[in-house]
Amino acid sequence: GAGAFVALGLPLRASASLADDAIATFTGGAEMADSGITLTAPEIAENGNTVPVEVSAPGAAEILVLATGNPTPAVATFKFGALAASQTASTRIRLAGTQDVVAIAKMPDGTFAKASSTVKVTIGGCGG
Amino acid sequence: GNWGRLAAQQSLTQDQLLQFDTFGNVSLIHVTDIHAQLKPLYFREPSINIGVGDNRGKVPHVTGADFRKLYEVEDGSPSHYALSSGDFSALAAGYGRVGGLDRVATVINQIRSDRPDALLLDGGDTWHGSYTCYHTEGQDMVNVMNALKPDAMTFHWEFTLGSDRVNEIVEGLPFAALGQNIFDAEWDEPAELFPPYKFFERGGVKIAVIGQAFPYMPIANPGWMFPEYAFGIRDENMQSMVDEVRAAGAELVVCLSHNGFDVDKKMAGIVTGIDVILSGHTHDALPEPVLVGETIIVASGSNGKFVSRVDLDVRDGRMMGFRHKLIPIFSDVITPDADVAAVIDEQRAPYEEELSEVIGQTASLLYRRGNFNGTWDDVICDALISEREADIALSPGVRWGPSLLPGQDITREDIWNVTSMTYGAAYRSEMTGEFLHVIMEDVADNLFNPDPYYQQGGDMVRTGGLGYRIDVTKPQGERITEMTLLKTGEMIDPAKTYQVAGWASVNEGTEGPQIWDVVENHIRQQGTVTVDPNNSVQVVGA
Amino acid sequence: MAKGVKPRVKVPKKAAAGEAITIKTLISHKMESGQRKDDDGNLIPRSIINRFTCDFNGENVIDVTLEPAISTNPYLEFAATVPEAGEFKFTWYDDDGSVYEESKKIAIG
Ligand SMILES: [Mn+2]
Ligand SMILES: [Mn+2]
C-alpha cells in the first residue's frame, strides 16, 4: 500500500549545479575518463537513510563521492595510504530521494575518472 | 462457456493431467506463492498484465485471447480456464475449483512414484495469506508443507511474520532455507540462518540449488519487522555462488528464485552458469519455460493452482535437455491425498466456526489480478470509503487472493484470503493532491520502469473515488495525469487536501481498524455485493 | 564527549605476510546532519564523525573525510595489506573534538 508519508518525488536534480561545483573543485576542471572506476550501489534503496555504496579505482590516490540530488552533495572522500591493499572502500549513505550518486577518482598522474549510478528511493509498499 | 460441469469433468482425468513421459535422470518439482491456500479455490488469471521496455508484448505480459493464440490453447479448453482470463465464471462453473494442498500432495506423490528422488522446491510466499496462517503465525503452513517434504525453500512474505518468528521457524525446518541475497544488515555479511545454496545428489547428478529471496523486502513490506536483514538482487554474489558450486563439482545449477519473472530474465542474461531458474513472486503461470541464453526460466503460478514438473537430462556435467509440464490442479479431478487432507483439517479445526461464517453474498465475479484494478479491490476500496468516511481509498496492488464466482456466499475466510497480513491497519489521513500524485507516480514506476531491476513486481495501487489516466511509456513524474475526484468529477487540485483511507502501510505505528473488519462490516451492510464495471483508469501506451 | 559512542571493528586475527585482508568498522553515532529541525522548528546543530583513519604500525591504510550524508552509525569497509605482524590503529574524529580510538593486533601465520 502506498501509505508511507515521506517526502519523495521526482528524481532530484535540484542541487546538480552544487555537485558540478564540487566536481570542479576536486578536478580543477580537468576532463574525466569514464573507465578506471566502478561505483556499486543498489538499483533501489532498501532504506534511503542507509544506502550501501562501494567505490573501486585501481591505483587511485583519492576517490570523491557525491550525492547529486542531496541538498548538500558531499558524501565522503577516501584517501588511500601506502598499506591500502586495493583502492576500494564501502560505506552507507543518506539519499534525500531518487538521484545519481557520483564517484570521481584522482589518479597519481593527475588524471581523473568518473562513474555514476542511479539509486531509486521509493515509497514502495506493494507486492506479489 | 456452455460446458456443463459434468461434461467438463468427464473430459478430464487425473491420469491425463499427470501424464508425463519420464525423461533424463533428474526431476524438479516447483511450487511457489501458495499464500497459505490450503483448500481448493477459484483463481482468475489477469486480463491486463502490461510489459514495458524490452518485455513489451513478451510473456508473461500476454493475456486472454492473445495468450491462447500464442500457446495454441483452444477456447473453452481446460488450459483456457486454468491459464488465461476470459469467460471465467462460465468455465469455472464447468471445471470447478483449483488447488488444495491435498491435491498438490497427490501430484507430488505421483511424480515421486515415477522418480523417487525428485527434488521438491518451494519458491516462498508460503506462510502468508489466510485466517489460519495469521492466527497460527504461519504454523499451519509449516505443518502442511512439512508433510509434503520439500527439499528447500526461499522467502518473501514470510518475513512479515517478523524476524523473531521467522528465525524460530527456520531453526526448526527439516529442509534448507536458502537465500544467497539474505544478508546481515549491520555487517553486510551473509545471514548464517539462510545458506546461499545446498548440494543434492540425485540420479547420480550433483545438483546445487541456490536460493534467491525477494530482493525488495524492506521496501515492498515493512522493513521495521525484520531490521536485522538486508536483501537486494546481488547478482554479483549470485555469480560468485554459481562459480563456487561449479568449482565444487555441481553438474546442474538450479536457482530457486523469488525475484519476479522480468527480474529473473534480466538476471539470467547477466549471471552465467545457471541451468534452471524456478521463478516466483509475480504469480505468472507459463505452459513452457522461457529460454534466456542457456538458462530456462519456469513460472508456476500461485495460490496452489499449479505444480511444475521439470525433467532434465544431465550428462558430462551439462544439462543436455529438458521436458516440462505445468500441471493445473483441477480439484475435482485430482484425488486428494488422505494423509495431507487430515493434516490440513487438523490445522483448520480450531477455527472452523469463524472461517465458515457467511458474511454476505456476491452477485459479481470477485477477483484481484490485473495491473490496475480487480473487483475484489473495488469492494475493498468501497469499504474503505464508506466505513472510514473518506474521499479517496488506496488499496495495495498485491497479486495474491483467490476469486469468488457470482452467486457465491462470502465467508469470513474469503475476506481474510484477500486481506490477511500482519500490518493490515486501515489508516485514514489527509493528503494533498500533490502528494497523491507523487504516490501514484512512485508506485507506477515500481511497475512500469523499463529496467526490470527497478521493478518490485506488484501491481498498481488500486484507487477508490479517484480516476486517472496513465501513459505507461512515460518516465516517472509524467505517467499519471487527469487525476479526478470521482464523486464530484473535479480534477484533483495539487494544493487541496483530501481525506484518504488505505491499508497495508509499511510505516511502523500505523493506526486504524484491521482491514478485514472494515470489509466485513461493509459486506454485512450490503448483504449482496455488486460491482459495477470500473472505468476509472484510462491506460495509454500498452 | 558524545554519549554512547562505541567503535567496533572486524579484523582477521591472522594473515600471511603481504596478504590483503578486509577490514570492517562501525561506530555508533547519530550523525546529526545539521539539516533536521526539532519539534519547535529549530535547526538541530550538526554533530558528526568527520574523519576516520586507519594505520598499521604507523603507516597509513586509509584516511576518510565524512560528510553529513554518511548514515547514522558510520560503516566503513576497506582492504589492507599486512606486511608483518603488528597493530592496526583506528581513529574516529568527532565534530565536538572527541577522538575515539580502537586497535587490533594481527599475527603472521
Ligand atoms: Mn506471491
Ligand atoms: Mn512475493
Side-chain angles (χ1 to χ4, degrees):
Chain A
F5 307 106
V6 285
L8 295 168
L10 308 179
L12 298 168
R13 292 187 196 93
S15 60
S17 65
L18 289 173
D20 289 344
D21 292 349
I23 293 171
T25 306
F26 187 69
T27 63
E31 291 279 300
M32 293 175 282
D34 55 12
S35 63
I37 180 164
T38 27
L39 169 65
T40 310
E43 283 82 6
I44 307 182
E46 292 188 359
N47 175 354
N49 286 319
T50 171
V51 182
V53 293
E54 182 187 272
V55 290
S56 182
E62 282 183 47
I63 301 177
L64 171 73
V65 179
L66 300 170
T68 58
N70 277 0
T72 310
V75 172
T77 309
F78 301 93
K79 290 193 184 89
F80 299 99
L83 288 183
S86 61
Q87 286 66 44
T88 301
S90 302
T91 188
R92 293 172 189 152
I93 71 174
R94 293 166 170 156
L95 295 178
T98 297
Q99 57 180 285
D100 290 339
V101 177
V102 171
I104 298 158
K106 182 184 200 172
M107 308 311 287
D109 64 1
T111 61
F112 294 87
K114 179 183 166 188
S116 86
S117 184
T118 305
V119 179
K120 180 165 151 181
V121 179
T122 170
I123 298 169
C126 302
Chain B
N2 298 324
W3 285 60
R5 188 180 185 79
L6 197 63
Q9 284 166 23
Q10 277 172 346
S11 75
L12 273 178
T13 64
Q14 179 167 322
D15 286 348
Q16 206 183 326
L17 282 176
L18 299 182
Q19 201 285 323
F20 196 102
D21 292 327
T22 303
F23 174 79
N25 45 4
V26 171
S27 294
L28 308 176
I29 308 168
H30 183 224
V31 292
T32 192
D33 296 271
I34 294 168
H35 286 281
Q37 296 304 315
L38 295 169
K39 300 291 275 186
L41 45 80
Y42 296 105
F43 191 91
R44 175 194 176 275
E45 298 297 330
S47 52
I48 301 178
N49 184 9
I50 299 169
V52 288
D54 294 344
N55 291 310
R56 183 172 174 160
K58 305 258 174 68
V59 293
H61 305 284
V62 180
T63 57
D66 295 338
F67 179 96
R68 294 192 289 279
K69 198 174 161 206
L70 179 67
Y71 288 108
E72 296 173 2
V73 170
E74 206 182 312
D75 280 359
S77 66
S79 292
H80 170 176
Y81 170 59
L83 292 162
S84 69
S85 58
D87 221 4
F88 183 80
S89 299
L91 291 169
Y95 288 111
R97 290 180 165 84
V98 293
L101 288 192
D102 46 5
R103 276 81 167 175
V104 167
T106 298
V107 172
I108 291 167
N109 290 339
Q110 174 72 38
I111 300 171
R112 282 175 173 155
S113 74
D114 288 351
R115 179 94 77 193
D117 63 356
L119 277 180
L120 173 60
L121 302 170
D122 174 8
D125 278 355
T126 309
W127 316 334
H128 157 268
S130 75
Y131 187 93
T132 53
C133 185
Y134 179 90
H135 284 91
T136 63
E137 292 183 275
Q139 195 63 47
D140 64 332
M141 289 308 294
V142 173
N143 295 345
V144 174
M145 290 307 290
N146 283 355
L148 300 182
K149 299 190 170 56
D151 293 286
M153 84 179 278
T154 193
F155 303 90
H156 171 193
W157 276 85
E158 285 75 12
F159 278 88
T160 65
L161 293 169
S163 41
D164 288 350
R165 177 64 176 147
V166 172
N167 295 348
E168 181 189 4
I169 297 176
V170 170
E171 278 160 16
L173 277 187
F175 52 86
L178 303 178
Q180 70 85 19
N181 59 338
I182 308 179
F183 272 57
D184 156 65
E186 192 171 43
W187 290 103
D188 195 38
E189 286 169 5
E192 277 175 29
L193 202 53
F194 301 92
Y197 56 79
K198 184 171 175 176
F199 271 101
F200 299 91
E201 183 108 24
R202 299 292 161 101
V205 175
K206 210 171 171 191
I207 305 166
V209 177
I210 305 178
Q212 174 80 349
F214 179 52
Y216 296 125
M217 208 102 61
I219 309 163
N221 305 95
W224 58 269
M225 291 183 169
F226 39 90
E228 309 89 326
Y229 292 111
F231 302 86
I233 298 172
R234 299 182 192 255
D235 48 19
E236 287 173 18
N237 195 57
M238 176 64 82
Q239 184 67 67
S240 358
M241 293 301 107
V242 174
D243 296 346
E244 191 172 307
V245 297
R246 288 279 182 199
E251 297 163 275
L252 179 75
V253 178
V254 177
C255 174
L256 179 61
S257 169
H258 203 94
N259 270 340
F261 198 84
D262 291 350
V263 177
D264 277 325
K265 261 178 84 179
K266 178 168 174 181
M267 190 178 80
I270 292 173
V271 177
T272 55
I274 300 175
D275 297 302
V276 181
I277 297 180
L278 301 172
S279 183
H281 182 60
T282 37
H283 294 197
D284 314 295
L286 295 180
E288 292 167 11
V290 167
L291 195 68
V292 176
E294 297 190 343
T295 305
I296 63 168
I297 309 178
V298 173
S300 308
S302 69
N303 288 265
K305 192 177 168 183
F306 298 96
V307 171
S308 283
R309 173 175 179 179
V310 190
D311 279 21
L312 300 154
D313 181 18
V314 184
R315 271 177 289 143
D316 309 323
R318 284 199 62 190
M319 183 172 92
M320 310 297 275
F322 68 88
R323 186 171 291 164
H324 161 274
K325 186 172 185 180
L326 177 72
I327 303 164
I329 309 298
F330 284 93
S331 314
D332 298 336
V333 178
I334 296 170
T335 310
D337 176 84
D339 294 341
V340 172
V343 179
I344 292 171
D345 289 346
E346 198 184 317
Q347 311 309 311
R348 292 169 56 88
Y351 307 97
E352 211 41 83
E353 202 176 316
E354 294 89 335
L355 288 167
S356 58
E357 188 177 334
V358 175
I359 310 301
Q361 282 76 38
T362 181
S364 306
L365 170 66
L366 299 183
Y367 62 90
R368 171 164 275 151
R369 281 299 309 278
N371 281 158
F372 301 99
N373 36 47
T375 48
W376 248 130
D377 296 306
D378 291 336
V379 173
I380 292 169
C381 285
D382 287 349
L384 283 165
I385 288 177
S386 67
E387 297 289 317
R388 302 290 283 146
E389 295 172 0
D391 303 318
I392 291 166
L394 299 177
S395 188
V398 295
R399 295 187 169 201
W400 41 268
S403 313
L404 290 182
L405 302 185
Q408 269 194 278
D409 285 340
I410 303 173
T411 64
R412 181 169 293 117
E413 174 168 31
D414 296 326
I415 294 172
W416 279 72
N417 278 345
V418 292
T419 55
S420 173
M421 60 165 60
T422 55
Y423 51 105
Y427 63 84
R428 181 173 189 273
S429 75
E430 294 191 336
M431 293 184 194
T432 61
E434 185 185 11
F435 187 66
L436 274 165
H437 185 249
V438 166
I439 288 179
M440 302 290 290
E441 289 283 358
D442 188 82
V443 182
D445 195 62
N446 289 337
L447 184 54
F448 297 118
N449 191 303
D451 182 343
Y453 278 16
Y454 290 89
Q455 299 169 1
Q456 287 173 31
D459 279 315
M460 188 66 192
V461 60
R462 277 73 166 116
T463 60
L466 175 73
Y468 61 94
R469 177 184 191 270
I470 177 166
D471 184 339
V472 300
T473 63
K474 290 275 199 314
Q476 185 173 1
E478 296 170 27
R479 290 189 182 98
I480 311 282
T481 53
E482 296 172 34
M483 284 170 58
T484 308
L485 187 66
L486 294 177
K487 72 177 176 187
T488 62
E490 287 167 14
M491 296 290 270
I492 293 288
D493 180 347
K496 210 177 145 191
T497 295
Y498 300 88
Q499 288 294 344
V500 179
W503 61 290
S505 166
V506 297
N507 290 354
E508 193 168 8
T510 301
E511 288 176 13
Q514 293 295 341
I515 186 64
W516 42 85
D517 291 330
V518 172
V519 174
E520 182 172 318
N521 290 341
H522 175 72
I523 292 175
R524 265 189 213 289
Q525 298 239 326
Q526 301 273 304
T528 297
V529 169
T530 306
V531 183
D532 298 326
N534 186 334
N535 304 313
S536 60
V537 183
Q538 191 199 339
V539 182
V540 181
Chain C
M1 183 178 284
K3 274 186 197 146
V5 177
K6 189 170 159 270
R8 286 179 290 162
V9 297
K10 282 196 173 189
V11 178
K13 288 193 170 56
K14 263 200 250 180
E19 189 185 340
I21 60 160
T22 297
I23 294 177
K24 298 181 177 193
T25 74
L26 263 173
I27 186 163
S28 51
H29 195 285
K30 60 186 184 316
M31 293 294 280
E32 191 58 60
S33 68
Q35 287 163 5
R36 291 196 316 141
K37 287 178 177 163
D38 65 17
D39 292 342
D40 300 326
N42 302 315
L43 215 55
I44 305 171
R46 169 182 144 151
S47 173
I48 69 165
I49 299 284
N50 59 52
R51 185 182 173 208
F52 165 84
T53 59
C54 170
D55 298 282
F56 181 74
N57 291 351
E59 188 136 30
N60 184 250
V61 178
I62 196 167
D63 186 338
V64 186
T65 306
L66 292 81
E67 307 288 349
I70 296 291
S71 305
T72 305
N73 305 333
Y75 172 83
L76 289 163
E77 180 182 332
F78 48 92
T81 305
V82 184
E84 74 250 339
E87 191 173 62
F88 281 101
K89 194 177 161 202
F90 306 92
T91 313
W92 292 260
Y93 299 86
D94 196 312
D95 273 353
D96 69 6
S98 307
V99 175
Y100 313 101
E101 290 177 330
E102 177 75 316
S103 56
K104 286 277 179 205
K105 286 197 169 66
I106 188 163
I108 294 297

